[in-house]
Amino acid sequence: MDDTRGSGGVVDRRTFLACGLTALGMGAAVRAGTASVVFQPAPFPLGVASGDPTADGVVLWTRLARDPLRGGGMPAEDVDVTWEVARDERMQDVVQRGTAPAAAALAHSVHVEVAGLEPARWYWYRFRTEEGASAVGRTRTLPAAGADVERLRFAFASCQHYEQGYYTAYRHMAEDDLDLVFHLGDYIYEYAGRDGRVRRHTGDEIELVDDYRNRYALYRSDPDLQAAHAAFPWVVTWDDHEVDNNYANRVPEDGLPAELFLRRRAAAYQAYYEHMPLRRSSLPDGPRLQLYRGFDWGSLASFHVLDTRQYRTDQPCGDGRASVCDGIHDPAATLLGERQERWLTERLDRSAGRWQVIPQQVQMTRVDWQSGDGESYGMDVWSGYEAARRRLMEFLAARRPSNPLVLTGDIHSNWVADLKVDYRDEDAPIVGSELICTSISSGGDGSDAVDAAAGMLAENPWVKFFNAQRGYVRCEVTPERSVADYQVLEYVTRPGSPISTRASFLIEDGRPGAVRL
């Protein structure tokens, strides 16, 4: 391992608490005539965020809440919030300001779509109400369309079960030199709280909109997550736990009738929008929310962000690991739905970006989990929809978009693998690469899984790397190459883990397949 970074110096308990409360948006007030300190909530306890950048703008986000874990504690009417964007972190050189409503109908969240900024530069922003100011966040715009760009650095992450570990990975991520962060789903988990874990969910399994709002507020209260949101613009997409484990479009995990499940889905989608830096184009319409979308980083990279939950058909062979059934070959079985699949292939076909990057949720590489004779495949992932997987791989093989690179989350482990049309053919060409990030905290501390990795690679020789520690993936892209650093933590069941680079992989322009450095 290399690139080891410690967790920082030692602070006393008073300093630690003061810093933590400041990060959570808590203000300190000294009670007159006493030496005691009374902590009172500031109007921005969930921090600030930015996302969905363009060449001349970005979405700025915050949410007002006086009692964030119990419904927000805000009045029933809208509240005006002032926002400012500056060229400097001290907010001296303000270039834009305005007023936006914190709408009661949207849990007093604020989504400001700033425009008229300069391309490819950093900005700083904050919000104000009569009660005080938010923390200052940092964001940046995309390069101008078609601009020659020499470098892009981004990270991607997923799966942050609050009860199973601390978000130390985000503290380290906030210290990285990044331009952008992608979150690939499982931002929250819907399960009821359980005793005996590192931290505890509040309440039962969530189903109503206020339940989902409280759960997002709990996750958003974490200071390390707030720090990463405040440091970079984020591009987000969801997986299943933002609603219900392994759900497929209208089909829930537990057999709830579709009409009742769609009410739950509408509540979950509403709360997701309220807590993410998304544009009005993603404002939910009941149980529908437009989330797949594209971004271009000048001429260097085009991003095609997918949604593999909202439009998929039910898992044809169940949602666990299983032997192959006839249903996976059904051409009507789909993860993307017809419209999104057509959008993706058309966008790939016309894109002039040097790197075609596809941030999405579930494993695209076909992996046999059973050693020796017999086969066992994941059925909630692309392997369970083989006709749809082959359709996309055949498109990549035939149309040859430039340097396809798939970013994936979901399975709480790190992977690097070659994408092929037919994995049974040893001579089948490589049509792209898949990089899979582990979880931020889901699954607890994890392990290096050396023995499991050896078996996995032997059974699936197109897999180049497997590891089950926690962390995220950091990528640097230039016109000539893309390098992925797998950043891992030693532990997450207590705070303060150091971080290190477990492995790095190189993909060269025009040469499909990843090579370990």
Side-chain angles (χ1 to χ4, degrees):
M1 298 183 183
D2 60 311
D3 188 33
T4 302
R5 186 163 67 239
S7 57
V10 177
V11 296
D12 61 56
R13 177 175 171 79
R14 181 178 299 173
T15 302
F16 174 80
L17 287 173
C19 292
L21 289 165
T22 299
L24 290 172
M26 308 295 281
V30 178
R31 182 177 296 160
T34 74
S36 64
V37 176
V38 179
F39 288 98
Q40 299 180 3
F44 305 100
L46 306 182
V48 300
S50 68
D52 279 15
T54 65
D56 75 336
V58 69
V59 178
L60 307 180
W61 175 92
T62 193
R63 180 186 166 199
L64 304 185
R66 295 196 179 99
D67 193 0
L69 303 186
R70 288 175 288 273
M74 295 294 294
E77 63 267 13
D78 297 352
V79 177
D80 285 339
V81 177
T82 300
W83 56 270
E84 297 176 309
V85 177
R87 292 191 180 95
D88 65 305
E89 60 186 317
R90 298 183 65 186
M91 303 297 295
Q92 300 291 309
D93 186 11
V94 174
V95 295
Q96 285 199 40
R97 60 166 50 92
T99 302
L106 296 176
H108 293 94
S109 61
V110 181
H111 298 73
V112 179
E113 297 185 20
V114 183
L117 302 178
E118 299 175 37
R121 70 156 296 150
W122 289 99
Y123 289 93
W124 286 259
Y125 63 94
R126 68 182 173 192
F127 299 90
R128 286 184 180 275
T129 69
E130 293 179 352
E131 297 178 69
S134 72
V136 174
R138 186 181 72 148
T139 191
R140 68 163 296 157
T141 52
L142 300 180
D148 291 334
V149 181
E150 290 303 313
R151 194 191 79 159
L152 162 65
R153 285 174 62 93
F154 65 87
F156 63 100
S158 71
C159 303
Q160 51 196 50
H161 198 307
Y162 182 86
E163 291 191 322
Q164 294 180 347
Y166 292 97
Y167 294 165
T168 311
Y170 283 131
R171 178 60 57 179
H172 292 295
M173 183 188 290
E175 297 169 356
D176 273 336
D177 177 19
L178 303 175
D179 299 301
L180 196 61
V181 171
F182 291 90
H183 196 281
L184 304 180
D186 294 346
Y187 192 98
I188 62 166
Y189 281 71
E190 79 281 21
Y191 301 132
R194 289 179 57 182
D195 293 330
R197 290 185 163 179
V198 175
R199 305 189 281 190
R200 197 179 193 281
H201 282 161
T202 51
D204 298 326
E205 180 158 340
I206 53 179
E207 296 180 352
L208 305 177
V209 66
D210 282 344
D211 300 334
Y212 283 101
R213 286 167 172 166
N214 292 341
R215 186 60 54 83
Y216 277 102
L218 177 66
Y219 279 54
R220 281 280 195 166
S221 71
D222 185 274
D224 293 340
L225 178 58
Q226 288 193 14
H229 269 298
F232 319 105
W234 283 39
V235 173
V236 299
T237 188
W238 53 33
D239 193 19
D240 53 340
H241 288 289
E242 287 86 353
V243 182
D244 181 40
N245 180 53
N246 286 355
Y247 85 95
N249 196 335
R250 295 168 171 262
V251 182
E253 180 184 32
D254 58 5
L256 190 71
E259 63 272 16
L260 295 180
F261 177 67
L262 287 178
R263 294 181 191 175
R264 180 181 184 182
R265 199 176 94 171
Y269 284 11
Q270 174 82 11
Y272 184 83
Y273 176 82
E274 290 169 352
H275 291 84
M276 296 296 152
L278 292 168
R279 294 184 177 275
R280 284 186 294 272
S281 55
S282 291
L283 186 69
D285 177 16
R288 295 171 293 277
L289 188 154
Q290 175 63 45
L291 198 58
Y292 66 85
R293 59 214 191 279
F295 302 86
D296 294 314
W297 196 271
S299 63
L300 181 60
S302 293
F303 293 96
H304 319 274
V305 182
L306 302 186
D307 172 0
T308 63
R309 284 292 161 190
Q310 185 173 186
Y311 312 105
R312 68 158 68 189
T313 52
D314 194 14
Q315 295 91 344
C317 307
D319 60 5
R321 292 179 193 160
S323 300
V324 172
C325 72
D326 291 340
I328 72 167
H329 300 293
D330 182 356
T334 175
L335 281 93
L336 301 181
E338 182 180 352
R339 180 178 296 180
Q340 183 180 190
E341 185 173 329
R342 184 170 61 251
W343 170 87
L344 173 61
T345 55
E346 289 177 353
R347 185 173 159 84
L348 286 168
D349 225 10
R350 68 174 184 266
S351 174
R354 181 72 61 92
W355 297 86
Q356 301 301 318
V357 186
I358 305 175
Q360 55 101 52
Q361 294 78 15
V362 294
Q363 188 171 44
M364 194 173 287
T365 306
R366 196 165 191 216
V367 171
D368 181 5
W369 290 87
Q370 183 171 326
S371 299
D373 296 336
E375 296 177 327
S376 178
Y377 295 96
M379 295 300 167
D380 186 55
V381 300
W382 286 83
S383 294
Y385 300 76
E386 177 62 10
R389 188 198 69 82
R390 287 185 69 99
R391 228 175 13 249
L392 180 55
M393 296 302 103
E394 288 169 352
F395 170 85
L396 297 180
R399 300 299 296 173
R400 300 177 65 84
S402 180
N403 299 318
L405 181 59
V406 174
L407 313 180
T408 302
D410 177 55
I411 53 177
H412 308 173
S413 46
N414 289 311
W415 301 67
V416 177
D418 296 332
L419 295 174
K420 294 186 174 187
V421 176
D422 186 357
Y423 286 106
R424 299 182 186 276
D425 180 0
E426 293 183 2
D427 298 323
I430 300 169
V431 299
S433 296
E434 182 174 29
L435 309 178
I436 303 179
C437 67
T438 184
S439 66
I440 290 291
S441 61
S442 302
D445 287 333
S447 70
D448 203 6
V450 175
D451 293 339
M456 183 67 61
L457 273 58
E459 190 69 29
N460 303 277
W462 46 88
V463 175
K464 309 293 184 64
F465 178 61
F466 172 80
N467 164 273
Q469 292 171 280
R470 305 294 162 238
Y472 60 95
V473 180
R474 182 181 65 201
C475 296
E476 178 171 293
V477 179
T478 70
E480 295 79 24
R481 54 188 246 163
S482 175
V483 174
D485 297 325
Y486 281 74
Q487 304 295 100
V488 300
L489 301 174
E490 294 180 9
Y491 47 83
V492 296
T493 52
R494 61 188 192 276
S497 172
I499 196 165
S500 61
T501 302
R502 176 61 180 80
S504 295
F505 282 83
L506 166 69
I507 304 169
E508 294 183 282
D509 174 39
R511 299 183 64 180
V515 177
R516 188 162 182 170
L517 295 175

